[in-house]
Amino acid sequence: MFFNKLFGFFSKDLAMDLGTANTLIYQKGNGVVLNEPSVVALSRDSGKLLAVGQEAKEFLGRTPKKIEAVRPMKDGVIADFKVTQEMIKYFLTKVQGSRLIHPRIVIGVPTGITQVEKRAVIEAAESAGTRSVHLIDEPMAAAIGANLNIEEPYGRMVVDIGGGTTEVAVISLSAIAYSESIRVAGDEANDAIVRYLQKKFQLLIGENSAEQAKINIGNAFPKEAPPTYDIAGKDIVSGRPKVVTITEKEMRSALAEPIQAILQAIRRALEKTPPELASDIHDSGITLAGGGALLKGLDKLIAHYTKLEVNITEDPLKSVVLGTGIAVENMNTYQKVFIN
Ligand code: ADP
Ligand code: MG
């Protein structure tokens, strides 16, 4: 009884995937305890936080004039420091409440993150009552989460396709030997769908509807998606509600540009990888992680163009958080992968 009370003062160590689309938190011993969109709804007048996460995501495109729904990480790494910090604080408080002894935390961050951005993430975590904040590169975390043996002197390529960024990384000896990051991923795919429907069908749709369409019929390779899908929106000219039936082939044309950009990033990374590691990748293939990896047929397309074997991690939306979780469960073993 006494000991239970005593240990109640201690919070369990945490791990976080701070994604441009989704934030996930892992608690030592308990697994994934939070999985919410990285979205914040604010009052336009006071700047006050009105909703965070899933609730705020439903506000996107549906807010009255007085409310603004923002994705603080969306355009690049951290587009809005203050809101990002508030969001981190909100999520951390949600999972741990207030405790006397503060937990340690491991946070996955994009490879391209600047010193200033690192500082902002660390400060946000500290202001939410955590101590000793460790950062880890997201592709490294995804590799750990996918149970790849990152410690070997052997090259492996991980492609993490998230909402805002696609990160291509070559990992060997617990380090990132080469990385390539582009700001084209799931969000750009949604935007491409919006533009395509606007141009071809004079149909206006919002970000969330575009994402739903992408998840249902989005595809990168023939015969991987259902043949057709109905999308509801608004006619540009008349302003009236309208439904359009789109085919999987049309969807492929809509997504051609962002998909090409991802293919090119992979190709560039393969070209720039040192020969020994490139030859390892020839044998080990490419591992896809991140929600974007779920786009139907994308693995087949990448395999077709690179002539390499392509595998998707077991649960691509969770690879990073599970990797940071493994790091927090085995803090000493993973010291060398922390980047701060
Ligand atoms: P981040 O790490 O940037 O937060 P995630 O790894 O959580 O990103 O992936 C989010 C992206 O994955 C979003 O753009 C979302 O639309 C996309 N996504 C999720 N599920 C699917 C699916 N089944 N098909 C295609 N894209 C998907
Ligand atoms: Mg991610």
Side-chain angles (χ1 to χ4, degrees), residues 14-192:
L14 300 169
M16 176 158 70
D17 167 11
L18 184 61
T20 62
N22 299 295
T23 299
L24 292 89
I25 298 178
Y26 179 105
Q27 192 168 45
K28 193 171 176 179
N30 291 337
V32 179
V33 290
L34 182 135
N35 181 357
E36 302 226 25
S38 310
V39 185
V40 176
L42 302 159
S43 154
R44 271 190 212 278
D45 301 335
S46 63
K48 232 184 90 191
L49 218 81
L50 298 175
V52 185
Q54 190 54 47
E55 198 189 343
K57 183 170 182 176
E58 278 148 30
F59 282 12
L60 282 175
R62 286 206 182 94
T63 55
K65 284 200 173 59
K66 285 192 162 155
I67 302 175
E68 185 186 15
V70 290
R71 291 184 43 201
M73 315 268 300
K74 183 176 174 174
D75 304 306
V77 186
I78 296 183
D80 189 326
F81 280 85
K82 201 173 144 277
V83 179
T84 302
Q85 291 196 330
E86 294 222 33
M87 183 179 78
I88 295 176
K89 205 169 160 178
Y90 177 93
F91 286 144
L92 285 176
T93 311
K94 188 168 175 181
V95 299
Q96 60 170 352
S98 54
R99 293 289 164 103
L100 219 60
I101 309 285
H102 302 305
R104 295 179 294 180
I105 189 165
V106 174
I107 307 178
V109 291
T111 321
I113 193 167
T114 64
Q115 287 301 330
V116 177
E117 286 169 329
K118 276 185 198 164
R119 203 53 251 159
V121 171
I122 292 171
E123 270 170 25
E126 284 172 348
S127 73
T130 61
R131 71 184 155 99
S132 74
V133 183
H134 293 288
L135 304 182
I136 175 171
D137 282 313
E138 279 168 357
M140 178 66 79
I144 297 169
N147 293 318
L148 299 184
N149 190 345
I150 54 148
E151 288 174 30
E152 280 182 330
Y154 182 73
R156 295 169 202 275
M157 178 173 277
V158 174
V159 182
D160 179 1
I161 309 166
T165 59
T166 295
E167 298 198 48
V168 184
V170 176
I171 293 170
S172 170
L173 286 168
S174 304
I176 300 219
Y178 181 79
S179 76
E180 174 90 37
S181 174
I182 55 165
R183 290 186 176 184
V184 176
D187 293 337
E188 269 295 312
N190 298 346
D191 291 349

